[in-house]
Amino acid sequence: MRTIDISNLYRRVYKKDIGYIWKSVERLEYVLCQKCGLRFFDPIISGDDDFYNILLKDEWYYLHEGKTEYDYSRKFIEEDDRVLDIGAGRGAFRHYLSEKNYYQGLDLSSKAIELAKKDGANVLPIPIEEFSEENKERFDVVSIFQVIEHISSLDKFMCSAIDCIVKGGLLIVATPDNDGFIKYVSNFCLNLPPHHTLHWNERSLRSMAEKYNLEVLDIYREPVSSVHRQWWYNTMSTTYLNRLLRRDFRMIDYRFTYKIVRLAAKILAQFYKLSGEHKKSFGQSIIMVCRKPDV
């Protein structure tokens, strides 16, 4: 995949130039790890603070509180648990916890920290690798929501996060489900580098838990949410038409026929919605709950 094509896609959507991100890299390879099922872009190039400020042209990126992982995760958290939220954004997850929970958020985005301060949320601009040095085994629960798809140095990140968990404590991870409908979405720049550099699914999450000697307590693939319902029908209709017309799927699709198929799919989707088929399908995110060994 050419980096210039990704830059052009971001320019179309956000009216900004992200070409500086790539430096001298002209192509990224989309690689499948046969051992664990993880897909990733090589070389792994993640966005910096300036890049995320581009995404934050309004506050929506951190305002979205109605996430499945928030409601789902709190049933695993006891009233007096100490919770570390890595990649906390503006600290929205704290609203789903008990007042007796101690909440500590971490985020590296200057905009997120600004919004967290405005909300009075306890969110620090410290990398987990640095934070863990003085906070080993201090938290009963560590949550990592919509973060591991962005990480360039995953092993150091995960080891640092796990170091912060008490023996027998929980790690809760949520990430986009790339065995769900989003893998059929063309021109979805937020699922491309430098935003998403790693594409996870259930197999790769389980493999990660095994690597770090974590016991998997539960894996939950969210259903199609009301927010994404129309998107799901549009995507499935586009996929059907692509197969009917024998068009190959492309992550970045500038072909003239794409516009025609997309328009036809929107019309088809209006009839497809009557089937209620979305109720049988999986949505955008997958959540894994693990326990750290108690010895």
Side-chain angles (χ1 to χ4, degrees):
M1 179 180 295
R2 299 192 308 168
T3 55
I4 191 172
D5 291 332
I6 302 176
S7 294
N8 288 338
L9 182 60
Y10 273 94
R11 188 178 292 111
R12 289 185 180 193
V13 176
Y14 291 100
K15 315 301 181 188
K16 297 289 185 178
D17 182 12
I18 67 163
Y20 73 93
I21 288 282
W22 316 118
K23 297 181 180 178
S24 60
V25 177
E26 296 183 356
R27 293 193 64 86
L28 304 176
E29 299 300 323
Y30 191 50
V31 182
L32 169 64
C33 176
Q34 298 290 346
K35 183 178 180 180
C36 71
L38 179 68
R39 290 185 180 271
F40 59 95
F41 293 88
D42 183 40
I44 295 176
I45 301 175
S46 301
D48 57 10
D49 191 50
D50 289 338
F51 169 75
Y52 282 99
N53 285 335
I54 289 172
L55 298 186
L56 290 166
K57 56 184 179 181
D58 58 40
E59 293 187 5
W60 176 87
Y61 191 83
Y62 286 116
L63 276 172
H64 181 31
E65 295 187 1
K67 296 181 179 180
T68 300
E69 55 263 32
Y70 291 172
D71 274 323
Y72 176 80
S73 298
R74 61 180 173 181
K75 68 182 179 181
F76 293 93
I77 300 175
E78 301 293 336
E79 194 173 66
D80 58 350
D81 280 347
R82 294 172 59 88
V83 178
L84 174 63
D85 189 15
I86 304 173
R90 69 190 304 163
F93 184 44
R94 78 191 192 284
H95 296 303
Y96 292 73
L97 304 175
S98 165
E99 292 184 358
K100 295 182 180 180
N101 289 126
Y102 173 78
Y103 174 87
Q104 175 66 67
L106 301 178
D107 205 285
L108 300 183
S109 165
S110 58
K111 182 65 174 180
I113 297 300
E114 176 188 326
L115 295 173
K117 286 182 178 179
K118 186 188 299 184
D119 292 349
N122 182 20
V123 180
L124 297 174
I126 302 175
I128 181 59
E129 296 85 354
E130 178 182 332
F131 182 83
S132 66
E133 293 176 3
E134 298 182 1
N135 291 278
K136 297 186 185 303
E137 298 188 0
R138 288 195 60 194
F139 294 89
D140 303 285
V141 179
V142 169
S143 58
I144 310 175
F145 298 146
Q146 311 299 337
V147 174
I148 60 170
E149 62 273 16
H150 304 278
I151 304 302
S152 56
S153 300
L154 184 66
D155 186 59
K156 189 174 182 181
F157 174 90
M158 289 303 302
C159 287
S160 299
I162 293 168
D163 280 347
C164 292
I165 307 173
V166 300
K167 290 181 174 65
L170 301 183
L171 174 71
I172 308 178
V173 178
T175 189
D177 183 358
N178 282 278
D179 272 349
F181 77 96
I182 60 173
K183 72 177 180 180
Y184 300 112
V185 181
S186 295
N187 299 335
F188 183 20
C189 60
L190 293 184
N191 205 33
L192 294 171
H195 189 51
H196 291 178
T197 60
L198 308 176
H199 284 178
W200 296 87
N201 57 18
E202 181 173 347
R203 178 187 168 197
S204 54
L205 285 174
R206 288 186 180 277
S207 180
M208 180 175 70
E210 181 179 0
K211 176 180 178 179
Y212 295 107
N213 194 29
L214 301 171
E215 177 191 1
V216 177
L217 301 181
D218 195 23
I219 286 190
Y220 179 73
R221 298 180 70 188
E222 72 168 347
V224 179
S225 68
S226 57
V227 174
H228 297 144
R229 192 171 302 164
Q230 185 63 53
W231 186 23
W232 185 90
Y233 279 111
N234 288 345
T235 299
M236 293 298 98
S237 297
T238 299
T239 302
Y240 169 77
L241 292 174
N242 279 338
R243 290 171 178 170
L244 186 66
L245 298 172
R246 297 184 179 179
R247 293 181 74 256
D248 60 306
F249 170 78
R250 298 182 186 179
M251 289 185 183
I252 298 179
D253 196 344
Y254 292 141
R255 293 172 292 181
F256 176 72
T257 52
Y258 171 75
K259 296 180 180 180
I260 298 175
V261 168
R262 189 181 179 192
L263 178 60
K266 286 183 178 180
I267 298 172
L268 178 61
Q270 300 308 309
F271 297 96
Y272 192 21
K273 283 173 66 174
L274 300 176
S275 68
E277 193 70 19
H278 70 278
K279 298 176 183 178
K280 307 174 186 176
S281 300
F282 296 114
Q284 186 176 15
S285 294
I286 182 170
I287 308 164
M288 179 174 70
V289 182
C290 302
R291 176 180 286 123
K292 182 177 178 177
D294 55 8
V295 292

